[in-house]
Amino acid sequence: MNDVSASPATAEPLARNRPAALRRAAPALLAFTGVRLLGLLVLAGWAAASDRSAYKLLSARWDSLWYTRVAEGWYGYEVRLPGGGVHSDLAFFPLLPGLERLLSEISPLAPADAGVAVSWVSSLAAAWALFLIGEHLHGRRAGICLAVLWAVLPVGIVQSMAYSESLFTALAAWALWAVLSGRWVWAGTLAALAGLTRPVGAAVVAAVWVAALLRLWRERRRPDARMVLGLLLAPLGWFAYFVWVGVRTGSVTGYLDVQGQWGNGFDGGAAFLGFIWENLTGSVVGGLGLIAGVALVIWLYVLCVRRRQPPALLVYAGAVLVLALCAKGYFGSKPRLLLPAFPLLLPVAVALARLRPVRAGLVLGGVAVLSAVYGAWWLHGSGPP
């Protein structure tokens, strides 16, 4: 694996001239915004035809309701199930509801509205970081394609919902960009914030640590003070929340116990394999579709390894992939859980960048239409719980 990283000198122009950097990223951000607006327009039309509220589908369903409750009253809300189980809001990490609460206190926005606003802004921030990573590794056109590919994913509509995926992906992508550009304090700070956003924040922490240790090993040198500080900062958010939940519940495994009550947990993929088998024996088409989907993401990861992506990206994408596919729980959430695994899209972005711009635009435009229709149908059906 090549440790493709920008030198500090390469990173300085971005820090000194952010307006110019933003102008350079403008095509990617405009294309990303266009795809997201298309998804929202199709959703609005579908909702109007179904006599439903498109905005409520984005702001007040499934997990977004739990984030809003945390924002309004902080932690302590539980739902007791008929079978004796308990669903606790401690399962939801605090950064998104914290931002919802902050925005609602300093603006006219209600917490649910603030959640949508955070997701929309975060999705743009994520697209910018994806552009920078793609441009750094494979050129400007690849950076644009990477940002747009992330927008046209079948479950891309989640990027516009009051969910934590957009916020987490933005923090993770900028942390990885900081690693590639050699800014370790920023990498550690952003990794710590990602660790306060979702359990999979551990993937960002692992990426920062592995990238730093590999660089030290290859360069046969000791870490400088900024790298040490970044490495110390990286796990603080994730670790702090686990410890806080443990203290609150009176158990070292408090957070894992909370997740267990929700039916979640890491079982090495046994439950998911059972789910695929049930579909194969019940609805063969559904089972084959699941196998094809899993094979596709694994194949993309193998391509990333073969094309020698930087270690930080490989560790991050691999950890997100393993945690998504090898966890039990509601299996309809798997595509959403894979949404932050954007390095898997790099091989596709490179292939599209080699096409003529018109042809690449037609491909991405066609996929964007399909994604918009699928997203509207999805939210009106099973949706992303």
Side-chain angles (χ1 to χ4, degrees):
M1 296 180 293
N2 290 336
D3 189 7
V4 181
S5 303
S7 66
T10 309
E12 284 304 314
L14 178 64
R16 290 198 306 266
N17 199 358
R18 287 187 178 88
L22 184 57
R23 286 194 298 270
R24 185 168 181 81
L29 299 180
L30 288 172
F32 176 87
T33 302
V35 172
R36 293 275 34 90
L37 286 176
L38 175 63
L40 293 174
L41 287 172
V42 173
L43 176 65
W46 197 303
S50 305
D51 196 25
R52 301 179 71 176
S53 169
Y55 187 71
K56 283 188 176 180
L57 290 173
L58 297 173
S59 64
R61 291 193 74 192
W62 301 298
D63 289 5
S64 58
L65 293 172
W66 285 89
Y67 285 120
T68 299
R69 290 190 187 104
V70 174
E72 291 174 340
W74 213 228
Y75 289 97
Y77 180 79
E78 294 180 343
V79 172
R80 297 200 170 271
L81 307 177
V86 176
H87 284 180
S88 168
D89 57 9
L90 292 172
F92 297 89
F93 275 52
L95 187 58
L96 176 58
L99 291 174
E100 290 180 352
R101 185 167 184 164
L102 174 63
L103 278 178
S104 67
E105 289 179 352
I106 64 174
S107 75
L109 296 175
D113 304 326
V116 174
V118 169
S119 287
W120 288 8
V121 172
S122 297
S123 66
L124 272 173
W128 189 4
L130 266 59
F131 165 76
L132 288 173
I133 291 171
E135 180 189 43
H136 173 64
L137 296 176
H138 301 289
R140 188 170 185 232
R141 288 179 60 186
I144 295 172
C145 289
L146 181 61
V148 178
L149 277 171
W150 190 63
V152 303
L153 287 173
V155 294
I157 191 65
V158 175
Q159 297 161 13
S160 301
M161 298 179 67
Y163 268 50
S164 61
E165 273 73 15
S166 289
L167 177 61
F168 175 77
T169 304
L171 293 168
W174 279 104
L176 293 173
W177 167 245
V179 170
L180 295 179
S181 56
R183 289 175 286 181
W184 295 103
V185 176
W186 273 112
T189 301
L190 291 164
L193 291 172
L196 284 172
T197 308
R198 295 187 62 80
V200 74
V204 189
V205 177
V208 172
W209 270 80
V210 170
L213 295 176
L214 280 175
R215 179 173 295 185
L216 293 175
W217 177 72
R218 285 170 177 164
E219 296 177 0
R220 299 292 193 274
R221 67 178 179 86
R222 293 182 179 180
D224 57 32
R226 296 184 67 81
M227 180 182 283
V228 171
L229 179 57
L231 294 179
L232 291 175
L233 287 170
L236 289 185
W238 186 86
F239 181 73
Y241 188 66
F242 265 71
V243 170
W244 182 79
V245 174
V247 171
R248 189 177 177 99
T249 59
S251 171
V252 175
T253 59
Y255 184 78
L256 299 179
D257 297 338
V258 168
Q259 284 284 11
Q261 288 284 341
W262 278 83
N264 299 325
F266 189 86
D267 65 354
F272 189 39
L273 287 173
F275 177 72
I276 293 174
W277 177 251
E278 287 178 9
N279 276 268
L280 277 173
T281 55
S283 169
V284 177
V285 175
L288 291 177
L290 284 170
I291 292 173
V294 172
L296 174 62
V297 295
I298 293 175
W299 175 68
L300 286 173
Y301 185 73
V302 171
L303 276 182
C304 293
V305 174
R306 292 178 61 184
R307 296 183 183 183
R308 304 173 71 83
Q309 279 188 12
L313 298 186
L314 290 177
V315 170
Y316 168 75
V320 172
L321 188 60
V322 169
L323 291 172
L325 296 183
C326 296
K328 56 185 178 179
Y330 180 72
F331 300 111
S333 297
K334 297 294 185 186
R336 175 173 65 85
L337 298 178
L338 287 168
L339 191 63
F342 65 86
L344 299 179
L345 300 173
L346 264 172
V348 185
V350 172
L352 284 171
R354 291 171 180 163
L355 299 177
R356 292 181 178 181
V358 173
R359 185 172 295 181
L362 288 173
V363 171
L364 289 170
V367 177
V369 171
L370 294 175
S371 173
V373 173
Y374 179 81
W377 171 80
W378 195 42
L379 286 194
H380 282 81
S382 60

